[in-house]
Amino acid sequence: MERTFIMIKPDGVQRNLVGEVIRRFETKGFKLVGLKLLSVSKELAAKHYDVHKERPFFAGLVQFITSSPVVAMVWEGDGVVASARNLIGATNPLTSPPGTIRGDFGVSIGRNLIHGSDAIETAQHEIALWFTPEELVSWEPTITPWVYE
């Protein structure tokens, strides 16, 4: 089974959208295997956004992600990386279709509520950055035969 990293950013936490985001992933049929609320250190934020370190908006990303708690999650399921990206919607909420998290709740690109891994390799890297192996739980929901063939 594939895994992906999802983070509800400070604006999503502050706007009380944690339950709604979890509901959408659960309703889709994905399995939650890791979950924690945390205040992000500048060091972790810098590692997470390392790909953007040379970009002019890097400092703003780090400042924002460390401004308030986030909810870090690991979800598991067939095709979960690509499917999660569809659930989340486009980076710019104004171009994200209704029915997506950003399309339904987002207003500005700088406050787009949620992060999701963009590829399997990225997901593996981000999961290892945010979670230890002991923090991830392997379990089998009783609903699995009703979701997967």
Side-chain angles (χ1 to χ4, degrees):
M1 283 281 180
E2 191 175 292
R3 287 182 172 180
T4 194
F5 174 74
I6 301 294
M7 173 178 46
I8 304 173
K9 296 178 182 179
D11 52 327
V13 174
Q14 290 288 338
R15 291 181 56 196
N16 298 312
L17 294 173
V18 174
E20 176 64 23
V21 170
I22 291 172
R23 183 192 67 77
R24 289 184 184 215
F25 278 82
E26 285 182 328
T27 302
K28 182 71 176 175
F30 294 126
K31 176 171 58 172
L32 183 62
V33 297
L35 171 72
K36 59 184 168 181
L37 174 74
L38 70 151
S39 295
V40 182
S41 69
K42 288 186 191 248
E43 295 76 24
L44 178 56
K47 286 179 186 175
H48 180 77
Y49 288 120
D50 185 61
V51 68
H52 300 299
K53 68 182 170 195
E54 302 300 324
R55 311 283 296 265
F57 54 83
F58 175 76
L61 286 174
V62 170
Q63 181 180 11
F64 174 61
I65 211 71
T66 59
S67 67
S68 183
V70 303
V71 173
M73 299 178 282
V74 178
W75 290 90
E76 185 176 275
D78 286 346
V80 71
V81 173
S83 188
R85 300 290 290 178
N86 288 331
L87 284 171
I88 290 168
T91 301
N92 184 348
L94 299 179
T95 62
S96 196
T100 65
I101 293 165
R102 289 177 176 156
D104 289 349
F105 303 109
V107 176
S108 96
I109 197 165
R111 300 290 181 264
N112 65 7
L113 308 168
I114 189 169
H115 165 84
S117 301
D118 62 1
I120 293 171
E121 298 77 23
T122 308
Q124 292 167 343
H125 170 74
E126 291 175 343
I127 291 167
L129 186 63
W130 289 83
F131 287 87
T132 65
E134 297 78 27
E135 292 175 311
L136 301 176
V137 178
S138 292
W139 65 289
E140 196 61 42
T142 57
I143 196 171
T144 299
W146 300 104
V147 177
Y148 297 105
E149 293 185 81

